[in-house]
């Protein structure tokens, strides 16, 4: 079905393009990078971009982009969960794109690129080949194969590898994790969930080449590129100013908020060790159940992402040391303490002690300079909770 739609789209586009960008001499073509700023909805937070090919003689301008997916495709949600995301290339008149993003309050910026005729011709041939139904689809990856990396790679190929040569050894500004947290910071719960689920892959040292997975990073890096002493960007126009609040320049520091939350949550977990009152036991049971169920379910989720999906940015997550599926084994032991005088659960006590020790080990691993994952905020939340729960079980056992 997707191929049929693409074929029909190509037929509809053909009468437009043949009048301009397909048959125009390369000297008449103008190539620009169109960047669309972050939107308000979570899937718009990373921005978007397209390559515009304009025939200066006819005025025809087509924007080629790689960000189209179909919610109605067979098994879309299942494949998305498994990390199999089928995206495709598309093309629209530039004006329709501009009108759409302007209506969402997102900025639109055009950067005209100083390509010679040979480079323009090479890029045009590639884009027209790529938009054919049999070539348009690809498997999307958030960080290494997305709508921006495809644009970047097409430009790099047309320029004979100049971009990769200049960027592959240039240090980047942030990691994948920092960029993700920064851009998602307007939706705190989603930001926390994404930060929690990212593994060591998201903390790898970055280069400018890798960091141009973001449209705004590609836009910024292109301004610094020179070819034979001349800037690649020959002109820049803010087509539509942003009406939305821009993302912060830096990722928020989650260490102290999560440590404070962990300390607050640990208080009811320590109540039975302090007080023998029935109310204290009730509060403990409620808080203990919430924490251990969260830790256990989160552990199952992380383990599933690692073993059952292609979301490699979530593989090998060291948060599993502090949030283990085994935490679910503690729940029955917590409920045994609802009434005074009931015997302790040895299994719950042992699993709690092991979980506390694993959390301490995970924290100590951060003393290793080359430790691959920056998950300290989540350890600072878990450690007080495991410590309080372990103390309660030890005191009750005594």
């Amino acid at each position: 079905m997707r191929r049929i739609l693409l074929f029909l789209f190509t037929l509809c586009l053909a009468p437009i393009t043949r009048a301009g960008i397909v048959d125009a001499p390369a000297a008449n073509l103008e190539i620009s990078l169109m960047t669309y700023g972050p939107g308000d909805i979570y899937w718009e937070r990373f921005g978007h971009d397209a390559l515009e090919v304009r025939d200066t003689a006819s005025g025809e301008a087509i924007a080629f982009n790689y960000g189209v997916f179909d919610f109605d495709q067979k098994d879309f949600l299942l494949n998305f969960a498994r990390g199999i995301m089928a995206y495709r290339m598309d093309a629209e008149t530039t004006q329709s794109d501009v009108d759409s993003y302007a209506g969402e309050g997102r900025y639109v910026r055009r950067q005209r690129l100083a390509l010679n005729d040979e480079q323009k011709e090479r890029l045009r041939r590639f884009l027209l080949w790529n938009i054919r139904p049999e070539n348009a689809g690809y498997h999307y990856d958030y960080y290494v194969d997305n709508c921006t990396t495809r644009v970047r790679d097409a430009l790099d190929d047309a320029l004979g590898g100049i971009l990769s040569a200049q960027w592959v050894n240039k240090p980047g500004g942030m990691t994948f994790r920092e960029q993700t947290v920064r851009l998602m910071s307007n939706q705190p719960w989603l930001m926390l969930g994404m930060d929690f689920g990212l593994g060591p892959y998201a903390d790898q040292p970055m280069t400018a080449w890798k960091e141009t997975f973001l449209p705004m990073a590609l836009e910024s890096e292109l301004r610094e590129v020179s070819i034979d002493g001349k800037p690649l960007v020959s002109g820049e126009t803010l087509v539509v100013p942003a009406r939305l609040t821009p993302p912060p320049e830096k990722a928020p520091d989650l260490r102290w908020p999560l440590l404070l939350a962990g300390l607050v949550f640990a208080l009811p977990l320590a109540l039975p060790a302090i007080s023998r009152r029935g109310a204290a036991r009730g509060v403990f049971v409620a808080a203990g159940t919430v924490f251990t169920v969260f830790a256990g379910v989160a552990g199952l989720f992380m383990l599933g992402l690692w073993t059952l999906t292609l979301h490699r940015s979530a593989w090998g997550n060291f948060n599993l040391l502090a949030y283990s599926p085994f935490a679910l084994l503690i729940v029955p032991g917590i409920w045994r303490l609802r009434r005074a005088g009931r015997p302790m659960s040895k299994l719950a006590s042992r699993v709690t002690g092991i979980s506390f020790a694993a959390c301490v080990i995970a924290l100590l691993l951060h003393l290793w300079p080359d430790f691959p994952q920056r998950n300290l905020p989540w350890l600072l939340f878990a450690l007080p909770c495991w410590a309080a729960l372990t103390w309660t079980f030890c005191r009750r056992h005594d």
Side-chain angles (χ1 to χ4, degrees):
M1 184 63 179
R2 186 181 66 189
R3 290 182 173 226
I4 295 173
L5 291 174
L6 276 167
F7 179 71
L8 292 174
F9 171 78
T10 306
L11 288 180
C12 294
L13 183 64
I16 299 174
T17 55
R18 287 198 181 102
I21 68 164
V22 169
D23 296 329
N28 290 353
L29 296 181
E30 182 179 271
I31 308 297
S32 301
L33 175 68
M34 303 294 298
T35 303
Y36 313 111
D40 229 4
I41 307 173
Y42 63 90
W43 66 74
E44 301 171 344
R45 293 302 294 169
F46 287 78
H48 191 43
D49 56 12
L51 282 171
E52 180 191 58
V53 181
R54 178 184 296 271
D55 174 20
T56 56
S58 68
E60 200 66 61
I62 302 297
F64 295 84
N65 83 91
Y66 291 86
V68 177
F69 60 95
D70 184 6
F71 278 117
D72 296 325
Q73 64 184 263
K74 184 180 179 181
D75 298 327
F76 174 83
L77 292 178
L78 177 61
N79 286 331
F80 182 85
R82 294 167 57 202
I84 304 172
M85 292 169 281
Y87 274 55
R88 63 179 173 84
M89 185 189 189
D90 200 0
E92 295 280 353
T93 61
T94 300
Q95 192 58 50
S96 66
D97 267 5
V98 170
D99 292 343
S100 174
Y101 291 108
E104 296 171 356
R106 302 162 68 173
Y107 80 76
V108 179
R109 183 174 284 112
R110 175 186 285 112
Q111 291 176 302
R112 294 185 301 280
L113 305 179
L115 274 58
N116 60 37
D117 290 351
E118 181 182 351
Q119 292 164 344
K120 293 176 188 178
E121 184 60 41
R122 182 177 178 86
L123 181 61
R124 173 172 60 180
R125 285 201 308 268
F126 173 76
L127 293 174
L128 293 177
W129 169 86
N130 205 176
I131 201 159
R132 294 174 184 170
E134 65 272 20
N135 302 325
Y138 72 101
H139 290 297
Y140 182 92
D141 182 284
Y142 299 107
Y143 296 131
V144 297
D145 196 357
N146 64 19
C147 54
T148 301
T149 63
R150 292 261 163 169
V151 166
R152 177 201 66 193
D153 293 350
L155 278 176
D156 188 49
D157 179 72
L159 290 166
I162 287 175
L163 299 183
S164 55
Q166 295 191 22
W167 294 346
V168 75
N169 293 316
K170 180 181 177 182
M174 300 186 197
T175 63
F176 289 132
R177 181 186 303 278
E178 289 169 333
Q179 289 286 16
T180 300
V181 171
R182 177 180 75 88
L183 292 167
M184 298 303 300
S185 59
N186 72 324
Q187 300 184 46
W189 290 111
L190 187 56
M191 173 194 70
L192 290 171
M194 294 180 72
D195 183 67
F196 182 81
L198 288 172
Y201 183 87
D203 296 302
Q204 62 181 284
M206 292 286 278
T207 63
W209 177 257
K210 290 181 179 179
E211 201 163 19
T212 51
F213 82 97
L214 278 179
M216 293 77 73
L218 179 60
E219 173 189 45
S220 177
E221 289 293 343
L222 282 178
R223 296 189 183 108
E224 307 300 321
V225 175
S226 294
I227 302 174
D228 297 328
K230 297 180 180 179
L232 175 60
V233 177
S234 62
E236 190 168 311
T237 305
L238 181 62
V239 181
V240 178
R243 299 198 311 271
L244 302 175
T245 303
E249 292 295 322
K250 294 183 178 180
D253 188 344
L254 301 178
R255 291 174 298 176
W256 305 119
L258 284 176
L259 174 60
L260 179 60
L263 291 171
V264 170
F265 207 88
L267 291 176
L269 297 178
L271 280 178
I274 301 171
S275 172
R276 299 288 180 173
R277 295 181 179 180
R281 290 196 301 273
V283 173
F284 165 79
V285 169
T289 301
V290 169
F291 174 70
T292 51
V293 168
F294 168 71
V297 171
L300 287 173
F301 180 70
M302 287 185 288
L303 196 61
L305 286 175
W306 186 1
T307 59
L308 302 176
T309 79
L310 298 178
H311 294 289
R312 58 178 169 175
S313 59
W315 292 353
N317 195 331
F318 279 89
N319 279 329
L320 276 164
L321 287 172
Y323 304 87
S324 165
F326 293 114
L328 295 173
L329 299 175
I330 305 172
V331 177
I334 290 173
W335 279 74
R336 289 174 67 92
L337 300 182
R338 286 179 300 168
R339 295 180 182 177
R342 298 194 68 177
M344 275 291 303
S345 166
K346 291 183 179 180
L347 176 63
S349 180
R350 289 171 181 171
V351 173
T352 300
I354 292 171
S355 299
F356 175 52
C359 192
V360 172
I361 291 171
L363 194 65
L364 291 175
L365 285 173
H366 278 267
L367 299 176
W368 176 32
D370 295 325
F371 185 66
Q373 184 171 339
R374 300 293 94 193
N375 63 329
L376 183 59
W378 294 103
L379 300 179
L380 293 175
F381 173 78
L383 188 64
C385 298
W386 283 123
L389 202 55
T390 301
W391 185 39
T392 292
F393 280 145
C394 288
R395 288 293 298 270
R396 294 289 297 185
H397 185 71
D398 294 341

PDB file of all heavy atoms in Angstrom, residues 38 99 101-107 240-246:
ATOM      1  N   PRO A  38      11.999  23.378  16.880  1.00  0.00           N
ATOM      2  CA  PRO A  38      11.241  22.455  17.730  1.00  0.00           C
ATOM      3  C   PRO A  38       9.784  22.880  17.879  1.00  0.00           C
ATOM      4  O   PRO A  38       9.477  24.072  17.953  1.00  0.00           O
ATOM      5  CB  PRO A  38      11.967  22.540  19.076  1.00  0.00           C
ATOM      6  CG  PRO A  38      13.331  23.045  18.751  1.00  0.00           C
ATOM      7  CD  PRO A  38      13.145  23.957  17.574  1.00  0.00           C
ATOM      8  N   ASP A  99       4.112  26.951   5.353  1.00  0.00           N
ATOM      9  CA  ASP A  99       2.814  27.283   5.932  1.00  0.00           C
ATOM     10  C   ASP A  99       2.459  26.342   7.082  1.00  0.00           C
ATOM     11  O   ASP A  99       1.915  26.764   8.111  1.00  0.00           O
ATOM     12  CB  ASP A  99       1.721  27.208   4.856  1.00  0.00           C
ATOM     13  CG  ASP A  99       1.859  28.299   3.802  1.00  0.00           C
ATOM     14  OD1 ASP A  99       2.570  29.284   4.070  1.00  0.00           O
ATOM     15  OD2 ASP A  99       1.268  28.144   2.713  1.00  0.00           O
ATOM     16  N   TYR A 101       4.540  24.544   9.128  1.00  0.00           N
ATOM     17  CA  TYR A 101       5.350  24.743  10.336  1.00  0.00           C
ATOM     18  C   TYR A 101       5.110  26.121  10.945  1.00  0.00           C
ATOM     19  O   TYR A 101       5.171  26.269  12.174  1.00  0.00           O
ATOM     20  CB  TYR A 101       6.826  24.527  10.019  1.00  0.00           C
ATOM     21  CG  TYR A 101       7.131  23.079   9.725  1.00  0.00           C
ATOM     22  CD1 TYR A 101       7.415  22.650   8.431  1.00  0.00           C
ATOM     23  CD2 TYR A 101       7.114  22.129  10.738  1.00  0.00           C
ATOM     24  CE1 TYR A 101       7.677  21.314   8.160  1.00  0.00           C
ATOM     25  CE2 TYR A 101       7.372  20.789  10.478  1.00  0.00           C
ATOM     26  CZ  TYR A 101       7.652  20.394   9.188  1.00  0.00           C
ATOM     27  OH  TYR A 101       7.897  19.071   8.916  1.00  0.00           O
ATOM     28  N   ALA A 102       4.843  27.103  10.125  1.00  0.00           N
ATOM     29  CA  ALA A 102       4.522  28.436  10.654  1.00  0.00           C
ATOM     30  C   ALA A 102       3.238  28.379  11.474  1.00  0.00           C
ATOM     31  O   ALA A 102       3.118  29.030  12.512  1.00  0.00           O
ATOM     32  CB  ALA A 102       4.384  29.440   9.514  1.00  0.00           C
ATOM     33  N   GLY A 103       2.285  27.575  11.014  1.00  0.00           N
ATOM     34  CA  GLY A 103       1.028  27.431  11.740  1.00  0.00           C
ATOM     35  C   GLY A 103       1.206  26.789  13.102  1.00  0.00           C
ATOM     36  O   GLY A 103       0.375  26.967  14.001  1.00  0.00           O
ATOM     37  N   GLU A 104       2.286  26.032  13.294  1.00  0.00           N
ATOM     38  CA  GLU A 104       2.568  25.389  14.584  1.00  0.00           C
ATOM     39  C   GLU A 104       3.420  26.269  15.488  1.00  0.00           C
ATOM     40  O   GLU A 104       3.762  25.870  16.605  1.00  0.00           O
ATOM     41  CB  GLU A 104       3.285  24.060  14.344  1.00  0.00           C
ATOM     42  CG  GLU A 104       2.430  23.039  13.588  1.00  0.00           C
ATOM     43  CD  GLU A 104       3.235  21.821  13.169  1.00  0.00           C
ATOM     44  OE1 GLU A 104       4.469  21.814  13.411  1.00  0.00           O
ATOM     45  OE2 GLU A 104       2.640  20.885  12.613  1.00  0.00           O
ATOM     46  N   GLY A 105       3.772  27.448  15.013  1.00  0.00           N
ATOM     47  CA  GLY A 105       4.576  28.354  15.817  1.00  0.00           C
ATOM     48  C   GLY A 105       6.062  28.067  15.783  1.00  0.00           C
ATOM     49  O   GLY A 105       6.832  28.633  16.576  1.00  0.00           O
ATOM     50  N   ARG A 106       6.516  27.229  14.861  1.00  0.00           N
ATOM     51  CA  ARG A 106       7.925  26.848  14.785  1.00  0.00           C
ATOM     52  C   ARG A 106       8.672  27.751  13.810  1.00  0.00           C
ATOM     53  O   ARG A 106       8.104  28.191  12.807  1.00  0.00           O
ATOM     54  CB  ARG A 106       8.029  25.386  14.351  1.00  0.00           C
ATOM     55  CG  ARG A 106       7.311  24.453  15.293  1.00  0.00           C
ATOM     56  CD  ARG A 106       7.013  23.096  14.702  1.00  0.00           C
ATOM     57  NE  ARG A 106       8.220  22.323  14.467  1.00  0.00           N
ATOM     58  CZ  ARG A 106       8.222  21.055  14.083  1.00  0.00           C
ATOM     59  NH1 ARG A 106       7.064  20.424  13.863  1.00  0.00           N
ATOM     60  NH2 ARG A 106       9.350  20.412  13.893  1.00  0.00           N
ATOM     61  N   TYR A 107       9.937  28.020  14.106  1.00  0.00           N
ATOM     62  CA  TYR A 107      10.685  28.876  13.190  1.00  0.00           C
ATOM     63  C   TYR A 107      11.048  28.100  11.927  1.00  0.00           C
ATOM     64  O   TYR A 107      11.180  26.876  11.930  1.00  0.00           O
ATOM     65  CB  TYR A 107      11.920  29.455  13.861  1.00  0.00           C
ATOM     66  CG  TYR A 107      13.138  28.556  13.961  1.00  0.00           C
ATOM     67  CD1 TYR A 107      13.953  28.304  12.844  1.00  0.00           C
ATOM     68  CD2 TYR A 107      13.506  27.995  15.177  1.00  0.00           C
ATOM     69  CE1 TYR A 107      15.066  27.498  12.936  1.00  0.00           C
ATOM     70  CE2 TYR A 107      14.635  27.182  15.272  1.00  0.00           C
ATOM     71  CZ  TYR A 107      15.413  26.940  14.156  1.00  0.00           C
ATOM     72  OH  TYR A 107      16.522  26.143  14.251  1.00  0.00           O
ATOM     73  N   VAL A 240      10.346  32.384   8.856  1.00  0.00           N
ATOM     74  CA  VAL A 240       9.277  32.530   9.848  1.00  0.00           C
ATOM     75  C   VAL A 240       9.905  32.522  11.239  1.00  0.00           C
ATOM     76  O   VAL A 240      10.626  31.586  11.578  1.00  0.00           O
ATOM     77  CB  VAL A 240       8.247  31.381   9.747  1.00  0.00           C
ATOM     78  CG1 VAL A 240       7.169  31.524  10.823  1.00  0.00           C
ATOM     79  CG2 VAL A 240       7.622  31.328   8.355  1.00  0.00           C
ATOM     80  N   PRO A 241       9.674  33.558  12.054  1.00  0.00           N
ATOM     81  CA  PRO A 241      10.214  33.545  13.417  1.00  0.00           C
ATOM     82  C   PRO A 241       9.419  32.599  14.313  1.00  0.00           C
ATOM     83  O   PRO A 241       8.245  32.323  14.065  1.00  0.00           O
ATOM     84  CB  PRO A 241      10.056  35.001  13.874  1.00  0.00           C
ATOM     85  CG  PRO A 241       8.906  35.520  13.068  1.00  0.00           C
ATOM     86  CD  PRO A 241       8.949  34.810  11.744  1.00  0.00           C
ATOM     87  N   ALA A 242      10.072  32.101  15.356  1.00  0.00           N
ATOM     88  CA  ALA A 242       9.414  31.189  16.292  1.00  0.00           C
ATOM     89  C   ALA A 242       8.446  31.946  17.193  1.00  0.00           C
ATOM     90  O   ALA A 242       8.720  33.068  17.617  1.00  0.00           O
ATOM     91  CB  ALA A 242      10.457  30.473  17.137  1.00  0.00           C
ATOM     92  N   ARG A 243       7.301  31.315  17.461  1.00  0.00           N
ATOM     93  CA  ARG A 243       6.371  31.858  18.454  1.00  0.00           C
ATOM     94  C   ARG A 243       6.400  31.032  19.734  1.00  0.00           C
ATOM     95  O   ARG A 243       5.782  31.422  20.727  1.00  0.00           O
ATOM     96  CB  ARG A 243       4.944  31.864  17.898  1.00  0.00           C
ATOM     97  CG  ARG A 243       4.750  32.723  16.655  1.00  0.00           C
ATOM     98  CD  ARG A 243       3.280  33.044  16.414  1.00  0.00           C
ATOM     99  NE  ARG A 243       2.432  31.869  16.484  1.00  0.00           N
ATOM    100  CZ  ARG A 243       2.149  31.071  15.450  1.00  0.00           C
ATOM    101  NH1 ARG A 243       2.682  31.333  14.273  1.00  0.00           N
ATOM    102  NH2 ARG A 243       1.361  30.011  15.593  1.00  0.00           N
ATOM    103  N   LEU A 244       7.129  29.907  19.704  1.00  0.00           N
ATOM    104  CA  LEU A 244       7.207  29.030  20.866  1.00  0.00           C
ATOM    105  C   LEU A 244       8.465  29.345  21.674  1.00  0.00           C
ATOM    106  O   LEU A 244       9.451  29.854  21.141  1.00  0.00           O
ATOM    107  CB  LEU A 244       7.248  27.563  20.422  1.00  0.00           C
ATOM    108  CG  LEU A 244       6.072  27.072  19.577  1.00  0.00           C
ATOM    109  CD1 LEU A 244       6.332  25.636  19.117  1.00  0.00           C
ATOM    110  CD2 LEU A 244       4.772  27.152  20.352  1.00  0.00           C
ATOM    111  N   THR A 245       8.408  29.040  22.959  1.00  0.00           N
ATOM    112  CA  THR A 245       9.581  29.201  23.819  1.00  0.00           C
ATOM    113  C   THR A 245      10.655  28.204  23.409  1.00  0.00           C
ATOM    114  O   THR A 245      10.383  27.002  23.326  1.00  0.00           O
ATOM    115  CB  THR A 245       9.220  28.977  25.294  1.00  0.00           C
ATOM    116  OG1 THR A 245       8.173  29.880  25.657  1.00  0.00           O
ATOM    117  CG2 THR A 245      10.417  29.194  26.192  1.00  0.00           C
ATOM    118  N   PRO A 246      11.866  28.658  23.136  1.00  0.00           N
ATOM    119  CA  PRO A 246      12.909  27.726  22.685  1.00  0.00           C
ATOM    120  C   PRO A 246      13.367  26.820  23.820  1.00  0.00           C
ATOM    121  O   PRO A 246      13.222  27.159  25.003  1.00  0.00           O
ATOM    122  CB  PRO A 246      14.041  28.667  22.232  1.00  0.00           C
ATOM    123  CG  PRO A 246      13.838  29.914  23.026  1.00  0.00           C
ATOM    124  CD  PRO A 246      12.343  30.055  23.199  1.00  0.00           C
TER     125      PRO A 246
END
